[in-house]
């Protein structure tokens, strides 16, 4: 990976897909993606988010567009109240699409928000 931040939808999708690909090829512990509004962790085909109740409701509606992504019930039930674990059994590109939607719809960010890969 050469870039660790992106400001356009196309560049953010590329950044996320490349970060996930690098994570898998390096067998790294996790990928951490963040904005000024929130943070998302990807590890071992699981996405972890800390959400408010309102953000959690918005997440539920997002699953309609991405049926392959599902809340991991046992992990989420055992986690702190705000933490949600999502099964992400998808290729890096599909996961990148989901991540982009999470930041745009869940955290209600504008189309030109900055996404940073702070750990790969």
């Amino acid at each position: 990976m050469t870039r660790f931040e992106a400001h356009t939808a196309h560049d953010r999708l590329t950044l996320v897909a490349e970060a996930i690909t690098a994570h898998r090829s390096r067998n790294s512990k996790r990928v951490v993606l963040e904005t000024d509004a929130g943070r998302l962790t990807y590890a071992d085909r699981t996405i972890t988010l800390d959400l408010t109740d309102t953000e959690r409701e918005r997440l539920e509606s997002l699953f309609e567009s991405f049926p392959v992504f599902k809340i991991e019930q046992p992990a989420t039930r055992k986690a702190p109240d705000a933490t949600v674990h999502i099964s992400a059994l998808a290729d890096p590109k599909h996961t990148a699409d989901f991540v982009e939607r999470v930041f745009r719809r869940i955290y209600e960010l504008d189309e030109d928000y900055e996404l940073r890969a702070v750990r790969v």
Side-chain angles (χ1 to χ4, degrees):
M1 279 189 59
T2 56
R3 277 197 348 243
F4 294 94
E5 60 188 44
H7 298 86
T8 67
H10 177 267
D11 289 346
R12 288 188 301 266
L13 291 171
T14 301
L15 175 66
V16 173
E18 287 178 356
I20 291 170
T21 300
H23 159 72
R24 289 179 180 174
S25 68
R26 295 176 186 171
N27 250 352
S28 69
K29 193 169 185 171
R30 66 183 162 270
V31 172
V32 178
L33 303 165
E34 71 178 20
T35 68
D36 292 338
R39 172 182 276 213
L40 175 150
T41 303
Y42 176 93
D44 195 26
R45 298 187 185 264
T46 297
I47 294 171
T48 303
L49 300 163
D50 286 328
L51 303 173
T52 65
D53 289 341
T54 303
E55 291 166 342
R56 175 92 182 243
E57 289 174 19
R58 289 194 290 261
L59 175 66
E60 294 293 337
S61 70
L62 189 59
F63 290 135
E64 294 170 14
S65 300
F66 293 91
V68 70
F69 294 87
K70 298 179 180 358
I71 292 178
E72 292 181 353
Q73 291 300 338
T76 298
R77 276 195 301 271
K78 295 175 185 175
D81 285 342
T83 303
V84 177
H85 298 279
I86 301 165
S87 172
L89 300 176
D91 62 85
K93 184 184 178 309
H94 196 125
T95 303
D97 290 336
F98 181 77
V99 167
E100 173 69 8
R101 286 280 198 73
V102 164
F103 283 114
R104 291 291 310 277
R105 288 180 60 189
I106 307 307
Y107 294 116
E108 299 183 314
L109 295 173
D110 295 329
E111 68 181 60
D112 63 344
Y113 76 92
E114 179 184 60
L115 179 64
R116 298 174 297 277
V118 296
R119 183 179 190 134
V120 178

